[in-house]
Amino acid sequence: MTDTARPVEVELKYRVLDLPAAERYLTATAVGPFVGASQPRATQMEDRYVDTADRAFERAGFAVRLRAAGGSALVSIKSRASTDASGGAVRREEIEGPASRTAAPHDWPASDARSLVLELAGDAPLVEVVTIRQLRRKRELRDGSTRVELSLDEVDVVIGKRVIGRFVELEAELKKGDEARLIGLAATFNGDAALRRSAGSKFEAALAATRGETTDLDLDADADTDADGSTAVEGVPVMVGPDDAPPAAVGSAAIEAPADAAPDPTKLVVSKTAGVLADDHIAEAGRKVLRFHLARMLAKEAGTREGKVIEDLHSMRVATRRQRAAWRVFGGSFRPARTKRFRNGLREIAGRLGGVRDLDVLLEGADHYRADLPVTEQRALEPLLADWRAHRELARQLLVRELDSDGYKRWVDEYREFVRAEGAAVLPVGPVQPHRVRDTAPSRIWTAYEQVRGYEPVLRWADIETLHDLRIAAKWLRYAMEFVREALGPESAPLIAKVTALQDHLGEMHDADVSASMARAFLVEHAGELSALESGAIGRYLVSREREVARLRRTLQTPWRGVAGLPFRRALGRVVASL
């Protein structure tokens, strides 16, 4: 083995015990002696750690990582870490070079990293040891001429398609300047109860998870060990083995599971927002949005199947609608043939959920209407409501059958892998082709706004069908802004709220019209079966819905002016210009 000096990575490493508390470092103006030098950026990464069958790299003291980078891959070789006990900095040699996820090392482009791989492995094939997927949010900090990259990493440990462990790490890597300044930063982190100093690598933590162990690499370990073997602080597990339920990251959209629950493969761990940033590739921005709302959808699946809380079904449907909207906004950046099955499956489950939810809305509205009526009038409405309940129960049976089907389970498994795999099914872009959020979102937002304003000349005499089309146009404007709201900045929030108010107003009108139409159809279909009292009560309900439609039409100008007026356009121009 050659003795050529290799680059040395120097960083501070901490296991995160409280994610919301640690997230403040991503936005703080100052962190210890350092000041923020950039806005946080987020990316999803998948790292495959490889070795030979006889563990040649491990015996030599190295970990070899293949990371997807667009259509290519990067190989990183890292030595075992050494830790400065006084300052806490972790040091290890690291060399990198271009590689391939499919070709053998002999076929990789020449580099020092390739040479070392061949020196250690010879002709032996490389096999996958473990895969780590992580959502990384990072920013640059500055203290004079010293530069540090601060990253907050939410990590999944994966074997095959199964997540066997999760943890969160905060790292501060010295990129340039004085190491003593980095050690000065450690004083800030060491005093934070949300963090614990760690000496081990993510690879070592992942290996421990594959063996069903918890990691004991913390320098200041004082956590209790639960009966199931998972290390926890204040009841929050930070690593689980194969026989433990993977917990949701603190503050994520996934459901938290008790320590003794069975593993739930439907869980995705995401942050509190999708985290789309201005410099994100448009396809990866879409993948973030899809991943975020798929996690919300799956988190409500058990409650939807159980059927005790109707808001679970409502939330699951909303998550499917957000995903379908995301495919409309971002889908053009993906290969249609490779993503068609995801879109089709989403349409199927969204339709089943909608069949139940639409009837829930009708029944809720009818219950609200009859709440203050005399008992006799309430009972007279019962034939209509019983008919709607029967239709809802049939729709629910079809929904549960779909959720229990093998096809749905396969679709979820494949779709979950897709939203985690950065670069999967992305269409190639030319060197000057607009492909970042900042390049493409402004035109998309303005086009959506133009579609809304196009209804202005006909608004006063538009029929219900036209107003329903306006509602859909408002929905696309809302989503075009909402999906990139982090990139647009805080000034986008009141604009999104005004578009939402218009959409909600039109939605209430649509619901009232549907209620009237269905009540009318019921009266016609069951005319010979209803008593005079029942027909009269249902007819009065029908008239009340028609009057509600008329009222909402009369008051439409208020939310319309909020979106179509000059103040909105000026504010939208400022927000879009910020990209």
Side-chain angles (χ1 to χ4, degrees), residues 79-101:
S79 67
R80 291 195 180 98
S82 62
T83 305
D84 179 354
S86 59
V90 177
R91 294 177 176 79
R92 55 186 171 184
E93 297 176 342
E94 178 181 24
I95 56 175
E96 295 182 333
S100 169
R101 292 172 64 90

Side-chain angles (χ1 to χ4, degrees), residues 256-292:
E256 292 189 17
D260 57 352
D264 186 352
T266 67
K267 288 183 182 176
L268 286 169
V269 176
V270 295
S271 299
K272 290 183 286 186
T273 64
V276 172
L277 303 177
D279 286 323
D280 284 345
H281 188 293
I282 191 67
E284 298 311 321
R287 201 185 309 274
K288 287 180 178 180
V289 174
L290 291 169
R291 182 171 58 248
F292 180 77

Side-chain angles (χ1 to χ4, degrees), residues 391-578:
H391 281 87
R392 184 197 184 276
E393 181 57 30
L394 177 59
R396 173 172 161 72
Q397 290 174 10
L398 294 173
L399 169 62
V400 173
R401 185 182 304 169
E402 177 67 21
L403 293 176
D404 289 340
S405 69
D406 292 338
Y408 172 77
K409 293 171 184 174
R410 286 193 300 270
W411 173 78
V412 167
D413 287 342
E414 294 174 358
Y415 192 21
R416 186 172 57 244
E417 293 307 306
F418 167 77
V419 300
R420 284 170 163 166
E422 184 174 0
V426 175
L427 285 170
V429 295
V432 296
Q433 181 178 346
H435 63 278
R436 300 176 299 174
V437 168
R438 68 168 69 253
D439 304 328
T440 58
S443 60
R444 183 179 293 109
I445 291 170
W446 279 117
T447 298
Y449 184 65
E450 290 168 3
Q451 294 297 320
V452 171
R453 285 202 70 199
Y455 286 84
E456 190 168 34
V458 302
L459 193 64
R460 289 186 179 277
W461 55 81
D463 57 20
I464 292 296
E465 289 75 16
T466 301
L467 292 176
H468 180 60
D469 291 340
L470 171 58
R471 177 195 179 197
I472 294 173
K475 178 172 66 175
W476 295 129
L477 172 59
R478 172 187 174 184
Y479 291 151
M481 299 173 64
E482 197 172 74
F483 290 154
V484 297
R485 67 189 307 162
E486 288 94 340
L488 292 174
E491 291 186 10
S492 65
L495 301 181
I496 294 172
K498 289 181 179 180
V499 178
T500 302
L502 174 62
Q503 180 188 344
D504 288 348
H505 190 100
L506 293 166
E508 291 177 14
M509 185 188 304
H510 174 73
D511 292 341
D513 181 65
V514 170
S515 297
S517 297
M518 291 188 66
R520 185 180 298 108
F522 182 83
L523 283 171
V524 172
E525 184 178 350
H526 299 275
E529 306 167 14
L530 300 172
S531 68
L533 184 60
E534 290 169 340
S535 294
I538 295 172
R540 286 185 287 275
Y541 173 67
L542 188 162
V543 171
S544 76
R545 297 302 87 201
E546 291 177 333
R547 288 175 176 170
E548 180 67 3
V549 171
R551 183 190 70 81
L552 291 165
R553 290 193 64 159
R554 289 194 306 271
T555 56
L556 177 58
Q557 285 297 319
T558 299
W560 170 257
R561 284 193 298 269
V563 173
L566 183 60
F568 183 95
R569 293 198 298 278
R570 286 175 171 170
L572 183 61
R574 290 193 299 270
V575 167
V576 170
S578 69

Side-chain angles (χ1 to χ4, degrees), residues 88-136:
V90 177
R91 294 177 176 79
R92 55 186 171 184
E93 297 176 342
E94 178 181 24
I95 56 175
E96 295 182 333
S100 169
R101 292 172 64 90
T102 56
H106 284 285
D107 298 321
W108 295 353
S111 69
D112 290 342
R114 171 179 175 270
S115 298
L116 183 55
V117 167
L118 292 175
E119 182 179 343
L120 296 173
D123 294 327
L126 303 184
V127 296
E128 182 174 322
V129 178
V130 69
T131 293
I132 291 177
R133 296 194 183 107
Q134 54 186 323
L135 173 65
R136 166 164 288 182

